[in-house]
């Protein structure tokens, strides 16, 4: 929701800075699974649809 408000120009500069900081933190904290296992998502699911994992789940 916050990114949507940002994208539509509805946040002031202080709020924009907060969004940038929070997004940067989240990007560092959570690895994009596709950067670790390139084919972990089914490309047939489409960008707009829900992502589906390929193969069985495993517990580490």
């Amino acid at each position: 929701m916050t990114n949507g408000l940002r994208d539509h120009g509805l946040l002031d500069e202080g709020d924009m800075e907060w969004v940038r900081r929070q997004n940067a933190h989240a990007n560092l904290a959570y690895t994009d699974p596709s950067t670790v296992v390139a084919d972990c998502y089914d490309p047939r699911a489409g960008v707009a649809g829900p992502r589906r994992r390929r193969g069985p789940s495993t517990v580490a």
Side-chain angles (χ1 to χ4, degrees), residues 5-24:
L5 293 171
R6 177 204 61 204
D7 294 346
H8 287 90
L10 299 173
L11 300 178
D12 64 31
E13 197 52 43
D15 291 333
M16 290 285 289
E17 179 56 31
W18 180 87
V19 170
R20 282 190 286 275
R21 284 194 321 270
Q22 299 309 309
N23 283 341

Side-chain angles (χ1 to χ4, degrees):
M1 184 163 120
T2 305
N3 288 338
L5 293 171
R6 177 204 61 204
D7 294 346
H8 287 90
L10 299 173
L11 300 178
D12 64 31
E13 197 52 43
D15 291 333
M16 290 285 289
E17 179 56 31
W18 180 87
V19 170
R20 282 190 286 275
R21 284 194 321 270
Q22 299 309 309
N23 283 341
H25 172 75
N27 288 336
L28 290 173
Y30 302 101
T31 302
D32 177 355
S34 66
T35 64
V36 179
V37 179
D39 67 345
C40 68
Y41 292 115
D42 184 349
R44 294 169 294 169
V47 175
R51 294 303 203 172
R52 293 176 182 86
R53 290 188 76 246
R54 287 187 181 181
S57 297
T58 58
V59 177

